[in-house]
Amino acid sequence: MRKLALLFILTTLSLYSQNNRSKFWGNVRFGGGLGFAFGNNNTTLAIAPSAIYTFNDTFAIGPSISYLYNKNYDLKSNVYGIGVVSLYNPIDFLQLSAEFEQSFVTQKLGIQKNNFNFPALYLGLSYRTGWFAAGIRYDVLYDKNHTIYTSAFSPIVRFYF
């Protein structure tokens, strides 16, 4: 009888856990952004995957990672980032975002190497259609003396599936 009761409890817990797992994963979206730029002696490649958990039709939050490579003449930069992205859709076509990211930079110019890191807190505004959004964001922590970016403004191109 104990074996039967134990089997019943384990089966019930297993079914309950599978049911909760499917509910959780049913609300998770994967995506992020890609970027590239080529110019006169300049190459930039970027990838920023993320996953968000959608609580409802208006709010989602999740982790993000990013990598950016830039070569400008002889200066090479590798930038790794980790962060959190939150999305709020007050109306169907409008998306507000807040993203915190900590970036870690390794730069090399000839034999000289430079390593540093910096935080960013982006507040963004995007046009949204389905799981695609495009817009602009502003880094409220921007410090021109402690970053690799030339401006506190940057574009948003993000998609989730």
Side-chain angles (χ1 to χ4, degrees), residues 20-29 52-54:
N20 281 347
R21 189 174 302 139
S22 66
K23 285 181 184 178
F24 174 82
W25 289 109
N27 290 332
V28 174
R29 301 280 181 257
I52 56 169
Y53 182 83
T54 56

Side-chain angles (χ1 to χ4, degrees), residues 130-146:
W131 290 102
F132 172 79
I136 193 159
R137 65 186 187 171
Y138 179 77
D139 181 4
V140 297
L141 301 178
Y142 182 77
D143 177 358
K144 68 179 180 178
N145 297 317
H146 197 68

Side-chain angles (χ1 to χ4, degrees), residues 96-99 121-125 136-140 153 156:
L96 305 175
S97 60
E99 304 172 60
L121 178 58
Y122 297 104
L123 302 178
L125 177 67
I136 193 159
R137 65 186 187 171
Y138 179 77
D139 181 4
V140 297
F153 288 97
I156 295 172

